[in-house]
């Protein structure tokens, strides 16, 4: 399950009501993260929620509808994090630092959810997938805007802004795949480390508070 750390005041699934619908959605997140979408049955989900299979259909017409709800909420949160940073105060380096710290921190603190949100995209129905892809493009645009601002201001040395944007987002998202709550770093520490790496990537020497210890590496392993 996701770690108890609560990045940015986010309370997981508070927007899902009633309680039975939330319990089913949480159970689906756990099952999809553990077994994968296609290997998970509606019976598996209902069992994890302590409910009968028939009860699931009161709140969700299909298993895919559950995945879409999870994916939409997760991508809305990701976009909120990145657009807030992109529109924030300070230099481009300040805003990129905030974007990476917050985005990575969320993916680490909520790694179980993030794994489903980020890696089960192809299981969505065509119309739902198109909707989520549009949100991902908006997230891409927010990061691209920060990097472009940095290049225009002479803060960053980036010959390929779209390619660098893709690299930054891919680096951040991958945290959900390996983060382990029993490891030596907290979500905040991983966020600080990745901010340092990204700012170096764009040609700026980081100088944003406490620097991470480069003598150790993040503990890779199965996310829990």
């Amino acid at each position: 399950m996701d770690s108890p750390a609560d990045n940015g005041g986010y309370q997981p699934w508070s927007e899902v009501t009633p309680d039975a619908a939330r319990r089913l959605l949480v159970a689906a997140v756990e099952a999809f993260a553990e077994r994968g979408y296609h290997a998970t049955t509606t019976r598996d989900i209902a069992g994890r929620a302590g409910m009968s299979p028939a009860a699931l259909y009161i709140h969700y017409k299909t298993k895919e509808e559950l995945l879409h709800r999870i994916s939409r909420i997760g991508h809305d949160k990701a976009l909120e994090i990145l657009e807030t940073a992109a529109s924030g105060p300070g230099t481009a380096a300040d805003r990129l630092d905030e974007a990476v710290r917050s985005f990575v921190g969320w993916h680490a603190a909520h790694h179980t959810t993030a794994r489903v949100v980020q890696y089960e995209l192809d299981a969505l129905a065509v119309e739902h997938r198109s909707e989520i892809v549009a949100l991902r493009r908006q997230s891409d645009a927010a990061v691209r805007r920060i990097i472009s601002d940095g290049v225009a201001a002479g803060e960053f040395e980036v010959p390929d802004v779209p390619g660098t944007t893709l690299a930054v987002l891919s680096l951040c998202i991958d945290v959900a795949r390996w983060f382990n709550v029993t490891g030596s770093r907290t979500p905040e520490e991983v966020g600080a480390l990745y901010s340092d790496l990204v700012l170096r990537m764009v040609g700026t020497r980081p100088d944003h508070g406490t620097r991470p210890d480069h003598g150790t590496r993040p503990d890779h392993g199965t996310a829990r």
Side-chain angles (χ1 to χ4, degrees), residues 7-8 10 74-87 98-107 142:
N7 185 267
Y10 175 66
H75 279 89
D76 280 343
K77 182 60 183 178
L79 180 58
E80 177 190 337
I81 289 169
L82 294 174
E83 287 194 333
T84 297
S87 302
E98 176 60 25
V100 173
R101 284 177 185 262
S102 299
F103 198 51
V104 167
W106 187 85
H107 279 79

mmCIF file with all atom_site columns, all heavy atoms in Angstrom, residues 7-8 10 74-87 98-107 142:
data_model
loop_
_atom_site.group_PDB
_atom_site.id
_atom_site.type_symbol
_atom_site.label_atom_id
_atom_site.label_alt_id
_atom_site.label_comp_id
_atom_site.label_asym_id
_atom_site.label_entity_id
_atom_site.label_seq_id
_atom_site.pdbx_PDB_ins_code
_atom_site.Cartn_x
_atom_site.Cartn_y
_atom_site.Cartn_z
_atom_site.occupancy
_atom_site.B_iso_or_equiv
_atom_site.pdbx_formal_charge
_atom_site.auth_seq_id
_atom_site.auth_comp_id
_atom_site.auth_asym_id
_atom_site.auth_atom_id
_atom_site.pdbx_PDB_model_num
ATOM 1   N N   . ASN A 1 7   ? 1.818  13.774 0.719   1.00 0.00 ? 7   ASN A N   1
ATOM 2   C CA  . ASN A 1 7   ? 2.480  14.829 -0.022  1.00 0.00 ? 7   ASN A CA  1
ATOM 3   C C   . ASN A 1 7   ? 1.520  15.954 -0.364  1.00 0.00 ? 7   ASN A C   1
ATOM 4   O O   . ASN A 1 7   ? 0.489  15.741 -0.970  1.00 0.00 ? 7   ASN A O   1
ATOM 5   C CB  . ASN A 1 7   ? 3.076  14.240 -1.309  1.00 0.00 ? 7   ASN A CB  1
ATOM 6   C CG  . ASN A 1 7   ? 3.878  15.236 -2.088  1.00 0.00 ? 7   ASN A CG  1
ATOM 7   O OD1 . ASN A 1 7   ? 3.350  15.883 -2.983  1.00 0.00 ? 7   ASN A OD1 1
ATOM 8   N ND2 . ASN A 1 7   ? 5.135  15.357 -1.762  1.00 0.00 ? 7   ASN A ND2 1
ATOM 9   N N   . GLY A 1 8   ? 1.867  17.165 0.041   1.00 0.00 ? 8   GLY A N   1
ATOM 10  C CA  . GLY A 1 8   ? 1.099  18.340 -0.326  1.00 0.00 ? 8   GLY A CA  1
ATOM 11  C C   . GLY A 1 8   ? -0.291 18.391 0.260   1.00 0.00 ? 8   GLY A C   1
ATOM 12  O O   . GLY A 1 8   ? -1.175 19.068 -0.257  1.00 0.00 ? 8   GLY A O   1
ATOM 13  N N   . TYR A 1 10  ? -2.463 16.056 0.365   1.00 0.00 ? 10  TYR A N   1
ATOM 14  C CA  . TYR A 1 10  ? -3.389 15.248 -0.410  1.00 0.00 ? 10  TYR A CA  1
ATOM 15  C C   . TYR A 1 10  ? -3.920 14.081 0.408   1.00 0.00 ? 10  TYR A C   1
ATOM 16  O O   . TYR A 1 10  ? -3.151 13.298 0.945   1.00 0.00 ? 10  TYR A O   1
ATOM 17  C CB  . TYR A 1 10  ? -2.664 14.724 -1.656  1.00 0.00 ? 10  TYR A CB  1
ATOM 18  C CG  . TYR A 1 10  ? -3.474 13.765 -2.496  1.00 0.00 ? 10  TYR A CG  1
ATOM 19  C CD1 . TYR A 1 10  ? -4.618 14.191 -3.150  1.00 0.00 ? 10  TYR A CD1 1
ATOM 20  C CD2 . TYR A 1 10  ? -3.067 12.450 -2.645  1.00 0.00 ? 10  TYR A CD2 1
ATOM 21  C CE1 . TYR A 1 10  ? -5.363 13.321 -3.942  1.00 0.00 ? 10  TYR A CE1 1
ATOM 22  C CE2 . TYR A 1 10  ? -3.789 11.569 -3.431  1.00 0.00 ? 10  TYR A CE2 1
ATOM 23  C CZ  . TYR A 1 10  ? -4.929 12.010 -4.084  1.00 0.00 ? 10  TYR A CZ  1
ATOM 24  O OH  . TYR A 1 10  ? -5.634 11.140 -4.855  1.00 0.00 ? 10  TYR A OH  1
ATOM 25  N N   . GLY A 1 74  ? -5.793 10.377 -10.419 1.00 0.00 ? 74  GLY A N   1
ATOM 26  C CA  . GLY A 1 74  ? -4.331 10.459 -10.326 1.00 0.00 ? 74  GLY A CA  1
ATOM 27  C C   . GLY A 1 74  ? -3.740 11.458 -11.298 1.00 0.00 ? 74  GLY A C   1
ATOM 28  O O   . GLY A 1 74  ? -2.844 12.232 -10.944 1.00 0.00 ? 74  GLY A O   1
ATOM 29  N N   . HIS A 1 75  ? -4.232 11.463 -12.525 1.00 0.00 ? 75  HIS A N   1
ATOM 30  C CA  . HIS A 1 75  ? -3.688 12.407 -13.514 1.00 0.00 ? 75  HIS A CA  1
ATOM 31  C C   . HIS A 1 75  ? -4.113 13.846 -13.220 1.00 0.00 ? 75  HIS A C   1
ATOM 32  O O   . HIS A 1 75  ? -3.349 14.785 -13.485 1.00 0.00 ? 75  HIS A O   1
ATOM 33  C CB  . HIS A 1 75  ? -4.105 11.990 -14.924 1.00 0.00 ? 75  HIS A CB  1
ATOM 34  C CG  . HIS A 1 75  ? -3.261 10.909 -15.507 1.00 0.00 ? 75  HIS A CG  1
ATOM 35  N ND1 . HIS A 1 75  ? -3.528 9.575  -15.336 1.00 0.00 ? 75  HIS A ND1 1
ATOM 36  C CD2 . HIS A 1 75  ? -2.108 10.976 -16.226 1.00 0.00 ? 75  HIS A CD2 1
ATOM 37  C CE1 . HIS A 1 75  ? -2.611 8.860  -15.947 1.00 0.00 ? 75  HIS A CE1 1
ATOM 38  N NE2 . HIS A 1 75  ? -1.730 9.682  -16.480 1.00 0.00 ? 75  HIS A NE2 1
ATOM 39  N N   . ASP A 1 76  ? -5.308 14.022 -12.677 1.00 0.00 ? 76  ASP A N   1
ATOM 40  C CA  . ASP A 1 76  ? -5.713 15.376 -12.262 1.00 0.00 ? 76  ASP A CA  1
ATOM 41  C C   . ASP A 1 76  ? -4.774 15.903 -11.177 1.00 0.00 ? 76  ASP A C   1
ATOM 42  O O   . ASP A 1 76  ? -4.384 17.083 -11.193 1.00 0.00 ? 76  ASP A O   1
ATOM 43  C CB  . ASP A 1 76  ? -7.146 15.364 -11.723 1.00 0.00 ? 76  ASP A CB  1
ATOM 44  C CG  . ASP A 1 76  ? -8.191 15.373 -12.822 1.00 0.00 ? 76  ASP A CG  1
ATOM 45  O OD1 . ASP A 1 76  ? -7.856 15.698 -13.980 1.00 0.00 ? 76  ASP A OD1 1
ATOM 46  O OD2 . ASP A 1 76  ? -9.363 15.043 -12.524 1.00 0.00 ? 76  ASP A OD2 1
ATOM 47  N N   . LYS A 1 77  ? -4.400 15.038 -10.232 1.00 0.00 ? 77  LYS A N   1
ATOM 48  C CA  . LYS A 1 77  ? -3.493 15.452 -9.163  1.00 0.00 ? 77  LYS A CA  1
ATOM 49  C C   . LYS A 1 77  ? -2.112 15.768 -9.716  1.00 0.00 ? 77  LYS A C   1
ATOM 50  O O   . LYS A 1 77  ? -1.492 16.772 -9.337  1.00 0.00 ? 77  LYS A O   1
ATOM 51  C CB  . LYS A 1 77  ? -3.403 14.351 -8.096  1.00 0.00 ? 77  LYS A CB  1
ATOM 52  C CG  . LYS A 1 77  ? -2.504 14.720 -6.919  1.00 0.00 ? 77  LYS A CG  1
ATOM 53  C CD  . LYS A 1 77  ? -2.992 15.963 -6.204  1.00 0.00 ? 77  LYS A CD  1
ATOM 54  C CE  . LYS A 1 77  ? -2.065 16.380 -5.090  1.00 0.00 ? 77  LYS A CE  1
ATOM 55  N NZ  . LYS A 1 77  ? -2.523 17.629 -4.428  1.00 0.00 ? 77  LYS A NZ  1
ATOM 56  N N   . ALA A 1 78  ? -1.616 14.929 -10.626 1.00 0.00 ? 78  ALA A N   1
ATOM 57  C CA  . ALA A 1 78  ? -0.298 15.171 -11.228 1.00 0.00 ? 78  ALA A CA  1
ATOM 58  C C   . ALA A 1 78  ? -0.278 16.506 -11.962 1.00 0.00 ? 78  ALA A C   1
ATOM 59  O O   . ALA A 1 78  ? 0.674  17.294 -11.839 1.00 0.00 ? 78  ALA A O   1
ATOM 60  C CB  . ALA A 1 78  ? 0.049  14.030 -12.185 1.00 0.00 ? 78  ALA A CB  1
ATOM 61  N N   . LEU A 1 79  ? -1.339 16.776 -12.718 1.00 0.00 ? 79  LEU A N   1
ATOM 62  C CA  . LEU A 1 79  ? -1.413 18.034 -13.465 1.00 0.00 ? 79  LEU A CA  1
ATOM 63  C C   . LEU A 1 79  ? -1.478 19.225 -12.510 1.00 0.00 ? 79  LEU A C   1
ATOM 64  O O   . LEU A 1 79  ? -0.824 20.256 -12.749 1.00 0.00 ? 79  LEU A O   1
ATOM 65  C CB  . LEU A 1 79  ? -2.634 18.017 -14.379 1.00 0.00 ? 79  LEU A CB  1
ATOM 66  C CG  . LEU A 1 79  ? -2.867 19.269 -15.228 1.00 0.00 ? 79  LEU A CG  1
ATOM 67  C CD1 . LEU A 1 79  ? -1.675 19.559 -16.123 1.00 0.00 ? 79  LEU A CD1 1
ATOM 68  C CD2 . LEU A 1 79  ? -4.139 19.095 -16.062 1.00 0.00 ? 79  LEU A CD2 1
ATOM 69  N N   . GLU A 1 80  ? -2.235 19.095 -11.438 1.00 0.00 ? 80  GLU A N   1
ATOM 70  C CA  . GLU A 1 80  ? -2.318 20.165 -10.446 1.00 0.00 ? 80  GLU A CA  1
ATOM 71  C C   . GLU A 1 80  ? -0.941 20.487 -9.862  1.00 0.00 ? 80  GLU A C   1
ATOM 72  O O   . GLU A 1 80  ? -0.563 21.655 -9.720  1.00 0.00 ? 80  GLU A O   1
ATOM 73  C CB  . GLU A 1 80  ? -3.275 19.757 -9.329  1.00 0.00 ? 80  GLU A CB  1
ATOM 74  C CG  . GLU A 1 80  ? -3.378 20.771 -8.187  1.00 0.00 ? 80  GLU A CG  1
ATOM 75  C CD  . GLU A 1 80  ? -4.134 20.218 -6.990  1.00 0.00 ? 80  GLU A CD  1
ATOM 76  O OE1 . GLU A 1 80  ? -4.924 19.276 -7.151  1.00 0.00 ? 80  GLU A OE1 1
ATOM 77  O OE2 . GLU A 1 80  ? -3.917 20.725 -5.875  1.00 0.00 ? 80  GLU A OE2 1
ATOM 78  N N   . ILE A 1 81  ? -0.186 19.459 -9.524  1.00 0.00 ? 81  ILE A N   1
ATOM 79  C CA  . ILE A 1 81  ? 1.153  19.643 -8.965  1.00 0.00 ? 81  ILE A CA  1
ATOM 80  C C   . ILE A 1 81  ? 2.043  20.403 -9.935  1.00 0.00 ? 81  ILE A C   1
ATOM 81  O O   . ILE A 1 81  ? 2.723  21.387 -9.560  1.00 0.00 ? 81  ILE A O   1
ATOM 82  C CB  . ILE A 1 81  ? 1.783  18.279 -8.623  1.00 0.00 ? 81  ILE A CB  1
ATOM 83  C CG1 . ILE A 1 81  ? 1.095  17.654 -7.411  1.00 0.00 ? 81  ILE A CG1 1
ATOM 84  C CG2 . ILE A 1 81  ? 3.288  18.420 -8.361  1.00 0.00 ? 81  ILE A CG2 1
ATOM 85  C CD1 . ILE A 1 81  ? 1.477  16.207 -7.167  1.00 0.00 ? 81  ILE A CD1 1
ATOM 86  N N   . LEU A 1 82  ? 2.050  19.982 -11.193 1.00 0.00 ? 82  LEU A N   1
ATOM 87  C CA  . LEU A 1 82  ? 2.960  20.576 -12.175 1.00 0.00 ? 82  LEU A CA  1
ATOM 88  C C   . LEU A 1 82  ? 2.522  21.980 -12.595 1.00 0.00 ? 82  LEU A C   1
ATOM 89  O O   . LEU A 1 82  ? 3.369  22.874 -12.759 1.00 0.00 ? 82  LEU A O   1
ATOM 90  C CB  . LEU A 1 82  ? 3.075  19.663 -13.391 1.00 0.00 ? 82  LEU A CB  1
ATOM 91  C CG  . LEU A 1 82  ? 3.746  18.315 -13.103 1.00 0.00 ? 82  LEU A CG  1
ATOM 92  C CD1 . LEU A 1 82  ? 3.682  17.410 -14.323 1.00 0.00 ? 82  LEU A CD1 1
ATOM 93  C CD2 . LEU A 1 82  ? 5.206  18.514 -12.671 1.00 0.00 ? 82  LEU A CD2 1
ATOM 94  N N   . GLU A 1 83  ? 1.231  22.206 -12.753 1.00 0.00 ? 83  GLU A N   1
ATOM 95  C CA  . GLU A 1 83  ? 0.779  23.540 -13.145 1.00 0.00 ? 83  GLU A CA  1
ATOM 96  C C   . GLU A 1 83  ? 0.954  24.540 -12.010 1.00 0.00 ? 83  GLU A C   1
ATOM 97  O O   . GLU A 1 83  ? 1.252  25.711 -12.260 1.00 0.00 ? 83  GLU A O   1
ATOM 98  C CB  . GLU A 1 83  ? -0.681 23.485 -13.594 1.00 0.00 ? 83  GLU A CB  1
ATOM 99  C CG  . GLU A 1 83  ? -0.853 22.830 -14.955 1.00 0.00 ? 83  GLU A CG  1
ATOM 100 C CD  . GLU A 1 83  ? -2.223 23.059 -15.562 1.00 0.00 ? 83  GLU A CD  1
ATOM 101 O OE1 . GLU A 1 83  ? -3.183 23.261 -14.793 1.00 0.00 ? 83  GLU A OE1 1
ATOM 102 O OE2 . GLU A 1 83  ? -2.323 23.031 -16.809 1.00 0.00 ? 83  GLU A OE2 1
ATOM 103 N N   . THR A 1 84  ? 0.789  24.095 -10.773 1.00 0.00 ? 84  THR A N   1
ATOM 104 C CA  . THR A 1 84  ? 1.016  24.977 -9.626  1.00 0.00 ? 84  THR A CA  1
ATOM 105 C C   . THR A 1 84  ? 2.474  25.420 -9.592  1.00 0.00 ? 84  THR A C   1
ATOM 106 O O   . THR A 1 84  ? 2.781  26.607 -9.375  1.00 0.00 ? 84  THR A O   1
ATOM 107 C CB  . THR A 1 84  ? 0.655  24.268 -8.311  1.00 0.00 ? 84  THR A CB  1
ATOM 108 O OG1 . THR A 1 84  ? -0.738 23.965 -8.315  1.00 0.00 ? 84  THR A OG1 1
ATOM 109 C CG2 . THR A 1 84  ? 0.980  25.147 -7.102  1.00 0.00 ? 84  THR A CG2 1
ATOM 110 N N   . ALA A 1 85  ? 3.388  24.477 -9.826  1.00 0.00 ? 85  ALA A N   1
ATOM 111 C CA  . ALA A 1 85  ? 4.819  24.817 -9.842  1.00 0.00 ? 85  ALA A CA  1
ATOM 112 C C   . ALA A 1 85  ? 5.150  25.727 -11.017 1.00 0.00 ? 85  ALA A C   1
ATOM 113 O O   . ALA A 1 85  ? 5.886  26.713 -10.875 1.00 0.00 ? 85  ALA A O   1
ATOM 114 C CB  . ALA A 1 85  ? 5.650  23.538 -9.905  1.00 0.00 ? 85  ALA A CB  1
ATOM 115 N N   . ALA A 1 86  ? 4.602  25.421 -12.185 1.00 0.00 ? 86  ALA A N   1
ATOM 116 C CA  . ALA A 1 86  ? 4.909  26.204 -13.383 1.00 0.00 ? 86  ALA A CA  1
ATOM 117 C C   . ALA A 1 86  ? 4.436  27.641 -13.258 1.00 0.00 ? 86  ALA A C   1
ATOM 118 O O   . ALA A 1 86  ? 5.038  28.562 -13.817 1.00 0.00 ? 86  ALA A O   1
ATOM 119 C CB  . ALA A 1 86  ? 4.276  25.550 -14.607 1.00 0.00 ? 86  ALA A CB  1
ATOM 120 N N   . SER A 1 87  ? 3.343  27.846 -12.520 1.00 0.00 ? 87  SER A N   1
ATOM 121 C CA  . SER A 1 87  ? 2.769  29.195 -12.364 1.00 0.00 ? 87  SER A CA  1
ATOM 122 C C   . SER A 1 87  ? 3.245  29.884 -11.095 1.00 0.00 ? 87  SER A C   1
ATOM 123 O O   . SER A 1 87  ? 2.798  30.996 -10.793 1.00 0.00 ? 87  SER A O   1
ATOM 124 C CB  . SER A 1 87  ? 1.239  29.101 -12.345 1.00 0.00 ? 87  SER A CB  1
ATOM 125 O OG  . SER A 1 87  ? 0.748  28.503 -13.525 1.00 0.00 ? 87  SER A OG  1
ATOM 126 N N   . GLU A 1 98  ? 10.741 23.082 -7.665  1.00 0.00 ? 98  GLU A N   1
ATOM 127 C CA  . GLU A 1 98  ? 9.474  22.800 -6.993  1.00 0.00 ? 98  GLU A CA  1
ATOM 128 C C   . GLU A 1 98  ? 8.684  21.723 -7.732  1.00 0.00 ? 98  GLU A C   1
ATOM 129 O O   . GLU A 1 98  ? 8.091  20.829 -7.110  1.00 0.00 ? 98  GLU A O   1
ATOM 130 C CB  . GLU A 1 98  ? 8.639  24.084 -6.892  1.00 0.00 ? 98  GLU A CB  1
ATOM 131 C CG  . GLU A 1 98  ? 7.256  23.901 -6.298  1.00 0.00 ? 98  GLU A CG  1
ATOM 132 C CD  . GLU A 1 98  ? 7.268  23.353 -4.880  1.00 0.00 ? 98  GLU A CD  1
ATOM 133 O OE1 . GLU A 1 98  ? 8.281  23.548 -4.174  1.00 0.00 ? 98  GLU A OE1 1
ATOM 134 O OE2 . GLU A 1 98  ? 6.263  22.723 -4.480  1.00 0.00 ? 98  GLU A OE2 1
ATOM 135 N N   . ALA A 1 99  ? 8.663  21.811 -9.055  1.00 0.00 ? 99  ALA A N   1
ATOM 136 C CA  . ALA A 1 99  ? 7.923  20.830 -9.850  1.00 0.00 ? 99  ALA A CA  1
ATOM 137 C C   . ALA A 1 99  ? 8.460  19.425 -9.619  1.00 0.00 ? 99  ALA A C   1
ATOM 138 O O   . ALA A 1 99  ? 7.689  18.485 -9.383  1.00 0.00 ? 99  ALA A O   1
ATOM 139 C CB  . ALA A 1 99  ? 8.003  21.193 -11.331 1.00 0.00 ? 99  ALA A CB  1
ATOM 140 N N   . VAL A 1 100 ? 9.766  19.269 -9.678  1.00 0.00 ? 100 VAL A N   1
ATOM 141 C CA  . VAL A 1 100 ? 10.358 17.936 -9.538  1.00 0.00 ? 100 VAL A CA  1
ATOM 142 C C   . VAL A 1 100 ? 10.205 17.419 -8.116  1.00 0.00 ? 100 VAL A C   1
ATOM 143 O O   . VAL A 1 100 ? 9.823  16.265 -7.895  1.00 0.00 ? 100 VAL A O   1
ATOM 144 C CB  . VAL A 1 100 ? 11.831 17.952 -9.963  1.00 0.00 ? 100 VAL A CB  1
ATOM 145 C CG1 . VAL A 1 100 ? 12.503 16.606 -9.650  1.00 0.00 ? 100 VAL A CG1 1
ATOM 146 C CG2 . VAL A 1 100 ? 11.957 18.267 -11.453 1.00 0.00 ? 100 VAL A CG2 1
ATOM 147 N N   . ARG A 1 101 ? 10.492 18.267 -7.124  1.00 0.00 ? 101 ARG A N   1
ATOM 148 C CA  . ARG A 1 101 ? 10.348 17.834 -5.726  1.00 0.00 ? 101 ARG A CA  1
ATOM 149 C C   . ARG A 1 101 ? 8.920  17.353 -5.447  1.00 0.00 ? 101 ARG A C   1
ATOM 150 O O   . ARG A 1 101 ? 8.702  16.293 -4.853  1.00 0.00 ? 101 ARG A O   1
ATOM 151 C CB  . ARG A 1 101 ? 10.688 18.976 -4.774  1.00 0.00 ? 101 ARG A CB  1
ATOM 152 C CG  . ARG A 1 101 ? 12.174 19.259 -4.618  1.00 0.00 ? 101 ARG A CG  1
ATOM 153 C CD  . ARG A 1 101 ? 12.378 20.463 -3.706  1.00 0.00 ? 101 ARG A CD  1
ATOM 154 N NE  . ARG A 1 101 ? 13.777 20.845 -3.627  1.00 0.00 ? 101 ARG A NE  1
ATOM 155 C CZ  . ARG A 1 101 ? 14.590 20.479 -2.636  1.00 0.00 ? 101 ARG A CZ  1
ATOM 156 N NH1 . ARG A 1 101 ? 14.133 19.726 -1.651  1.00 0.00 ? 101 ARG A NH1 1
ATOM 157 N NH2 . ARG A 1 101 ? 15.848 20.864 -2.633  1.00 0.00 ? 101 ARG A NH2 1
ATOM 158 N N   . SER A 1 102 ? 7.931  18.138 -5.869  1.00 0.00 ? 102 SER A N   1
ATOM 159 C CA  . SER A 1 102 ? 6.539  17.813 -5.578  1.00 0.00 ? 102 SER A CA  1
ATOM 160 C C   . SER A 1 102 ? 6.064  16.600 -6.370  1.00 0.00 ? 102 SER A C   1
ATOM 161 O O   . SER A 1 102 ? 5.382  15.723 -5.835  1.00 0.00 ? 102 SER A O   1
ATOM 162 C CB  . SER A 1 102 ? 5.643  19.014 -5.898  1.00 0.00 ? 102 SER A CB  1
ATOM 163 O OG  . SER A 1 102 ? 5.989  20.128 -5.112  1.00 0.00 ? 102 SER A OG  1
ATOM 164 N N   . PHE A 1 103 ? 6.430  16.553 -7.638  1.00 0.00 ? 103 PHE A N   1
ATOM 165 C CA  . PHE A 1 103 ? 5.987  15.465 -8.510  1.00 0.00 ? 103 PHE A CA  1
ATOM 166 C C   . PHE A 1 103 ? 6.608  14.137 -8.075  1.00 0.00 ? 103 PHE A C   1
ATOM 167 O O   . PHE A 1 103 ? 5.919  13.120 -7.967  1.00 0.00 ? 103 PHE A O   1
ATOM 168 C CB  . PHE A 1 103 ? 6.394  15.803 -9.948  1.00 0.00 ? 103 PHE A CB  1
ATOM 169 C CG  . PHE A 1 103 ? 5.651  15.026 -11.001 1.00 0.00 ? 103 PHE A CG  1
ATOM 170 C CD1 . PHE A 1 103 ? 4.272  14.951 -11.010 1.00 0.00 ? 103 PHE A CD1 1
ATOM 171 C CD2 . PHE A 1 103 ? 6.352  14.392 -12.031 1.00 0.00 ? 103 PHE A CD2 1
ATOM 172 C CE1 . PHE A 1 103 ? 3.588  14.259 -12.008 1.00 0.00 ? 103 PHE A CE1 1
ATOM 173 C CE2 . PHE A 1 103 ? 5.688  13.700 -13.022 1.00 0.00 ? 103 PHE A CE2 1
ATOM 174 C CZ  . PHE A 1 103 ? 4.307  13.626 -13.016 1.00 0.00 ? 103 PHE A CZ  1
ATOM 175 N N   . VAL A 1 104 ? 7.892  14.153 -7.805  1.00 0.00 ? 104 VAL A N   1
ATOM 176 C CA  . VAL A 1 104 ? 8.569  12.940 -7.331  1.00 0.00 ? 104 VAL A CA  1
ATOM 177 C C   . VAL A 1 104 ? 8.051  12.555 -5.948  1.00 0.00 ? 104 VAL A C   1
ATOM 178 O O   . VAL A 1 104 ? 7.804  11.373 -5.662  1.00 0.00 ? 104 VAL A O   1
ATOM 179 C CB  . VAL A 1 104 ? 10.092 13.148 -7.296  1.00 0.00 ? 104 VAL A CB  1
ATOM 180 C CG1 . VAL A 1 104 ? 10.785 12.026 -6.515  1.00 0.00 ? 104 VAL A CG1 1
ATOM 181 C CG2 . VAL A 1 104 ? 10.647 13.201 -8.714  1.00 0.00 ? 104 VAL A CG2 1
ATOM 182 N N   . GLY A 1 105 ? 7.885  13.528 -5.076  1.00 0.00 ? 105 GLY A N   1
ATOM 183 C CA  . GLY A 1 105 ? 7.392  13.248 -3.735  1.00 0.00 ? 105 GLY A CA  1
ATOM 184 C C   . GLY A 1 105 ? 6.035  12.579 -3.755  1.00 0.00 ? 105 GLY A C   1
ATOM 185 O O   . GLY A 1 105 ? 5.776  11.639 -2.992  1.00 0.00 ? 105 GLY A O   1
ATOM 186 N N   . TRP A 1 106 ? 5.161  13.034 -4.655  1.00 0.00 ? 106 TRP A N   1
ATOM 187 C CA  . TRP A 1 106 ? 3.838  12.419 -4.751  1.00 0.00 ? 106 TRP A CA  1
ATOM 188 C C   . TRP A 1 106 ? 3.940  10.989 -5.262  1.00 0.00 ? 106 TRP A C   1
ATOM 189 O O   . TRP A 1 106 ? 3.298  10.075 -4.742  1.00 0.00 ? 106 TRP A O   1
ATOM 190 C CB  . TRP A 1 106 ? 2.936  13.232 -5.681  1.00 0.00 ? 106 TRP A CB  1
ATOM 191 C CG  . TRP A 1 106 ? 1.526  12.730 -5.663  1.00 0.00 ? 106 TRP A CG  1
ATOM 192 C CD1 . TRP A 1 106 ? 0.552  13.072 -4.772  1.00 0.00 ? 106 TRP A CD1 1
ATOM 193 C CD2 . TRP A 1 106 ? 0.938  11.778 -6.558  1.00 0.00 ? 106 TRP A CD2 1
ATOM 194 N NE1 . TRP A 1 106 ? -0.615 12.389 -5.065  1.00 0.00 ? 106 TRP A NE1 1
ATOM 195 C CE2 . TRP A 1 106 ? -0.404 11.591 -6.150  1.00 0.00 ? 106 TRP A CE2 1
ATOM 196 C CE3 . TRP A 1 106 ? 1.423  11.074 -7.669  1.00 0.00 ? 106 TRP A CE3 1
ATOM 197 C CZ2 . TRP A 1 106 ? -1.269 10.723 -6.816  1.00 0.00 ? 106 TRP A CZ2 1
ATOM 198 C CZ3 . TRP A 1 106 ? 0.559  10.206 -8.324  1.00 0.00 ? 106 TRP A CZ3 1
ATOM 199 C CH2 . TRP A 1 106 ? -0.768 10.040 -7.895  1.00 0.00 ? 106 TRP A CH2 1
ATOM 200 N N   . HIS A 1 107 ? 4.771  10.766 -6.284  1.00 0.00 ? 107 HIS A N   1
ATOM 201 C CA  . HIS A 1 107 ? 4.921  9.419  -6.833  1.00 0.00 ? 107 HIS A CA  1
ATOM 202 C C   . HIS A 1 107 ? 5.544  8.449  -5.828  1.00 0.00 ? 107 HIS A C   1
ATOM 203 O O   . HIS A 1 107 ? 5.264  7.251  -5.881  1.00 0.00 ? 107 HIS A O   1
ATOM 204 C CB  . HIS A 1 107 ? 5.755  9.463  -8.108  1.00 0.00 ? 107 HIS A CB  1
ATOM 205 C CG  . HIS A 1 107 ? 4.959  9.857  -9.314  1.00 0.00 ? 107 HIS A CG  1
ATOM 206 N ND1 . HIS A 1 107 ? 4.633  11.165 -9.583  1.00 0.00 ? 107 HIS A ND1 1
ATOM 207 C CD2 . HIS A 1 107 ? 4.401  9.114  -10.306 1.00 0.00 ? 107 HIS A CD2 1
ATOM 208 C CE1 . HIS A 1 107 ? 3.915  11.210 -10.694 1.00 0.00 ? 107 HIS A CE1 1
ATOM 209 N NE2 . HIS A 1 107 ? 3.751  9.983  -11.147 1.00 0.00 ? 107 HIS A NE2 1
ATOM 210 N N   . ALA A 1 142 ? 3.240  21.873 -19.048 1.00 0.00 ? 142 ALA A N   1
ATOM 211 C CA  . ALA A 1 142 ? 3.628  22.641 -17.859 1.00 0.00 ? 142 ALA A CA  1
ATOM 212 C C   . ALA A 1 142 ? 5.128  22.574 -17.631 1.00 0.00 ? 142 ALA A C   1
ATOM 213 O O   . ALA A 1 142 ? 5.783  23.594 -17.366 1.00 0.00 ? 142 ALA A O   1
ATOM 214 C CB  . ALA A 1 142 ? 2.875  22.108 -16.636 1.00 0.00 ? 142 ALA A CB  1
#
